[in-house]
Amino acid sequence: MLRPALHRVRRGQTLAVISRTFGVPPRLLAAVNGLCAEPPAGTLLLIPPACNVYRVRGGETRALLCGSDEAFAQKNGTRCLYPGQIVAL
């Protein structure tokens, strides 16, 4: 199993930029690090292992994407699902 990595936030970096760099959804990155806002420069973030990311299409469900609602919530740090959202599979 891959071990999580650490990343120190640089000035101007956002969760969206960091999540694209490491291949994890922004909500998962925020959830793993207990964030509810953009992290300031110098913050040390725990980066979970990269996963398959996917852009949700209309009509898809949490169970369809991850096998169950619980698996979806665990992988993505949220139970919310909407078209256009980037999620971990």
Side-chain angles (χ1 to χ4, degrees):
M1 180 173 193
L2 295 174
R3 294 175 55 196
L6 295 175
H7 173 74
R8 188 164 308 276
V9 178
R10 293 186 292 266
R11 187 174 57 169
Q13 281 188 316
T14 64
L15 283 177
V17 168
I18 297 166
S19 68
R20 275 193 305 272
T21 300
F22 289 98
V24 296
R27 283 186 182 230
L28 178 60
L29 187 58
V32 165
N33 290 282
L35 300 172
C36 57
E38 293 291 340
T43 303
L44 193 59
L45 297 179
L46 181 66
I47 308 294
C51 53
N52 291 325
V53 293
Y54 176 75
R55 185 174 302 275
V56 177
R57 294 183 217 163
E60 294 176 320
T61 65
R62 295 181 296 262
L64 175 68
L65 296 173
C66 293
S68 71
D69 290 349
E70 293 76 23
F72 178 88
Q74 183 179 14
K75 289 180 180 183
N76 291 284
T78 184
R79 288 191 171 278
C80 295
L81 181 67
Y82 53 88
Q85 179 181 2
I86 303 295
V87 298
L89 299 180

